[in-house]
Amino acid sequence: MVNRSKDLPMLPEEPIYIGVDIGKFKHVAGFLSKTLLERHKHFEHCPAFIFDQSREGFRAFLERIQAYGPLEHCFILMEQTGHYHRPLQHYLLEFDLSVYVIHVQSRELGMLKTDKRDALGLANQLYNQLALGVQVTNKLQVVRRAIPPSEAAAQLKGLMRHRYELVNEATQRKNKLTAICDELFPEFTQVFKNPNLTTALDLRERFPTPQAVATASLIALREVRKRNCPSEAHLVSLQQLAAQSIGVKDVARQRGLVSEQALLIKELRLLQDHLEQLEGEICQIVEQCREGKILLSIPPISLLAAATILATIGHIGNFESAGHLKSYFGWAPQRAQTGVTFDRTRLTSGGSREMKKVMYLVAWNAISRETEWAKLYKRLVPRLCSYDERTQTYKGKGKALGHVIGRLITLIYALLRQDYETLSHLTPGKEPPEPVLYDPELHKHHRAGHYRPIRQEHGSNRMVQVEPQGNVIETNVQPLGAGGSSSILGA
């Protein structure tokens, strides 16, 4: 597809910008550089190359790149289209190529769409932003360097996704079992508040109908319970309720519900066993990795919350600032303003749905304990919330909770980013130092007004980071290889 007599020779030191349109079975790569633009006059007329989604196709793509210039002078951009781009991305990263990713781009209405045009459009975007420094207003059009996930994140990504699916499936079985209980023996919940507890399921499996419970001996019912729970009085009460149950009496319908209930109980137990094994492996990975130790040092973050954060982040190097991480987590403020008549701030609608839930729970866990985050929340509520005289309570406490979540995310970013910078500047073969952990005593010292910067300045070990909202997170960083421990303090 490329006419070498026309496109070669090329300046050996000239950067080459390549856009790859990802397909299920074949990919199209578009090549663009300053010389190619001068030669073809327009980026859509620059050369392209089609290759297969296979090892041979990837090897042919690398050979075509080398025909234009050395690999170290090439920059490649691809869209994040599901999972189809991942094999090519991993292959290119193995050769230390500069790979960039971008969100899937929408096409203009009425524009002729071809795979070659899409590939060259990506190459043109990469050329504009890297070579010409063109800034874009739409954040979805910003290209960013692809950094492979850390070892722990690579392991946790699939495990956490599988856990999420198992939890959803277990919840579906529990809902069905609750519905069957309400139809078959609705009075059962007067003794067992949760009809899906282990003892309740054992009892429902052995005595599936109200008639079976009412006619069973008290000795047989005792054999099912564990640790005298439920009590003997509750078992007697359960038999009395079963004798007068208003559950379904139709024999055919009852037989169908009993069969479905037995299968659902077996499925639920299997899912719970898999969940237990999976969570054990997840917790072991988190406890042993550097990033997990850092996150677990922050009091409100649990093992599963830390695993979710690591699996979602992938690598902290993918985020330029704490604001980018907040946006990715779905906790970035979005402000709409028009003159002096309209001014409203709300959370962005984007971000990871799962991380929104996780950080919300982490924040509630933080403010319900004796932590610096709880003290911060109590100070923010009177300042940010309106007071209702009738109920004598504050309204709109979500604003204060949002501030707490924002500062927690900033602290997470600062700790992980500093550890990443420490490891990246480490001499090859040298044993890495222990990771810097969150210290509540230093946090108290910081809140007392003893601020220290986090961004490293020339000629000093002081670092500072100031957010757009005015939040300051600071640390005292020891020189690499020096004794002592560093500290990062959350605002």
Side-chain angles (χ1 to χ4, degrees):
M1 223 171 153
V2 176
N3 186 352
R4 296 198 177 193
S5 62
K6 184 177 181 181
D7 297 325
L8 300 177
M10 181 171 290
L11 297 175
E13 300 296 328
E14 185 177 28
I16 305 165
Y17 302 91
I18 305 169
V20 181
D21 183 71
I22 301 296
K24 186 174 182 179
F25 303 109
K26 292 182 180 292
H27 309 313
V28 180
F31 296 83
L32 189 145
S33 68
K34 184 178 179 182
T35 302
L36 287 174
L37 281 174
E38 293 175 352
R39 191 174 299 167
H40 295 278
K41 306 303 181 185
H42 197 273
F43 76 90
E44 292 183 353
H45 302 150
C46 289
F49 177 70
I50 302 176
F51 60 99
D52 294 330
Q53 172 85 326
S54 64
R55 176 70 62 173
E56 293 75 16
F58 294 169
R59 189 179 297 113
F61 177 47
L62 278 186
E63 292 175 356
R64 182 53 57 97
I65 294 176
Q66 291 172 330
Y68 288 98
L71 296 180
E72 56 268 21
H73 295 155
C74 297
F75 302 90
I76 304 172
L77 175 65
M78 61 184 69
E79 293 175 320
Q80 294 178 305
T81 53
H83 59 275
Y84 295 116
H85 72 287
R86 291 175 184 169
L88 177 61
Q89 179 178 326
H90 295 324
Y91 181 83
L92 296 175
L93 289 175
E94 289 177 1
F95 290 88
D96 294 328
L97 270 78
S98 299
V99 180
Y100 291 78
V101 292
I102 191 173
H103 287 278
V104 177
Q105 301 297 292
S106 59
R107 307 293 183 263
E108 296 181 7
L109 296 177
M111 185 184 73
L112 178 65
K113 181 190 180 306
T114 63
D115 293 340
K116 177 183 176 181
R117 186 179 190 137
D118 292 341
L120 289 170
L122 292 174
N124 186 54
Q125 277 190 308
L126 188 63
Y127 174 77
N128 289 338
Q129 295 188 37
L130 296 188
L132 305 182
V134 175
Q135 298 183 3
V136 294
T137 57
N138 187 357
K139 291 184 178 181
L140 297 180
Q141 296 179 350
V142 177
V143 302
R144 61 179 180 86
R145 184 75 177 267
I147 300 178
S150 62
E151 183 179 350
Q155 297 179 67
L156 291 170
K157 189 175 182 63
L159 296 179
M160 292 304 296
R161 182 62 190 175
H162 188 51
R163 180 186 177 275
Y164 177 79
E165 294 170 352
L166 288 180
V167 169
N168 285 343
E169 291 181 9
T171 303
Q172 292 175 4
R173 268 63 175 188
K174 289 179 181 178
N175 291 339
K176 289 182 179 179
L177 284 169
T178 301
I180 291 175
C181 181
D182 291 339
E183 185 175 356
L184 197 62
F185 187 6
E187 297 84 2
F188 188 81
T189 54
Q190 295 183 24
V191 176
F192 293 92
K193 298 297 182 182
N194 185 354
N196 298 318
L197 293 177
T198 303
T199 305
L201 291 177
D202 292 340
L203 186 64
R204 293 173 64 182
E205 187 176 34
R206 186 166 175 180
F207 307 101
T209 62
Q211 293 79 8
V213 175
T215 57
S217 65
L218 200 58
I219 297 175
L221 292 175
R222 285 199 203 101
E223 293 176 353
V224 179
R225 66 179 183 174
K226 297 177 181 178
R227 296 182 181 179
N228 297 326
C229 184
S231 64
E232 192 162 330
H234 283 158
L235 291 178
V236 173
S237 175
L238 185 66
Q239 283 191 310
Q240 294 174 354
L241 292 171
Q244 302 175 358
S245 176
I246 60 172
V248 61
K249 298 296 189 295
D250 183 80
V251 177
R253 176 59 178 164
Q254 196 177 72
R255 188 181 298 116
L257 289 175
V258 169
S259 300
E260 185 181 5
Q261 178 177 261
L263 293 175
L264 287 172
I265 290 174
K266 292 179 181 179
E267 292 173 5
L268 179 60
R269 285 174 176 163
L270 180 62
L271 290 172
Q272 289 174 339
D273 289 342
H274 288 180
L275 268 173
E276 186 177 353
Q277 297 176 18
L278 191 62
E279 290 177 357
E281 186 175 353
I282 289 171
C283 293
Q284 186 177 3
I285 294 172
V286 174
E287 289 173 343
Q288 293 178 354
C289 68
R290 292 179 62 91
E291 303 98 317
K293 294 178 182 178
I294 292 172
L295 293 178
L296 292 177
S297 68
I298 304 174
I301 298 181
S302 62
L303 278 165
L304 291 178
T308 307
I309 293 171
L310 292 179
T312 304
I313 289 177
H315 198 291
I316 198 63
N318 288 318
F319 302 93
E320 298 179 0
S321 66
H324 286 84
L325 187 60
K326 289 180 186 179
S327 180
Y328 191 70
F329 281 2
W331 283 100
Q334 186 177 26
R335 185 176 183 182
Q337 182 183 27
T338 302
V340 295
T341 59
F342 181 78
D343 190 353
R344 184 174 61 187
T345 303
R346 61 181 179 87
L347 283 180
T348 178
S349 58
S352 170
R353 182 182 301 175
E354 185 67 16
M355 282 310 305
K356 277 187 177 181
K357 299 177 183 177
V358 169
M359 291 309 302
Y360 183 83
L361 295 176
V362 166
W364 268 114
N365 191 19
I367 65 175
S368 61
R369 299 182 180 183
E370 289 297 328
T371 63
E372 293 298 316
W373 312 108
K375 297 176 184 177
L376 172 64
Y377 177 76
K378 291 177 182 178
R379 286 196 302 269
L380 289 175
V381 167
R383 291 170 49 190
L384 302 178
C385 307
S386 58
Y387 186 74
D388 190 343
E389 293 290 347
R390 185 179 64 84
T391 59
Q392 295 184 353
T393 56
Y394 286 98
K395 289 186 176 181
K397 293 183 180 180
K399 296 178 182 178
L401 188 66
H403 275 264
V404 173
I405 295 173
R407 298 191 184 189
L408 274 168
I409 296 174
T410 306
L411 176 62
I412 291 171
Y413 176 84
L415 288 168
L416 294 179
R417 185 73 187 192
Q418 188 194 13
D419 191 64
Y420 164 64
E421 296 291 344
T422 300
L423 296 179
S424 62
H425 292 88
L426 200 64
T427 305
K430 187 175 181 180
E431 190 70 18
E434 287 296 319
V436 177
L437 307 180
Y438 169 77
D439 189 344
E441 294 300 323
L442 291 175
H443 194 168
K444 292 180 183 178
H445 193 64
H446 169 79
R447 297 226 43 94
H450 302 282
Y451 296 97
R452 294 178 182 177
I454 193 172
R455 184 182 301 156
Q456 191 166 4
E457 301 172 354
H458 297 290
S460 70
N461 298 325
R462 302 186 65 195
M463 304 177 72
V464 65
Q465 177 173 332
V466 181
E467 295 184 276
Q469 296 87 347
N471 304 333
V472 182
I473 293 219
E474 308 176 348
T475 184
N476 181 24
V477 182
Q478 295 287 344
L480 294 179
S485 60
S486 303
S487 62
I488 292 186
L489 308 173

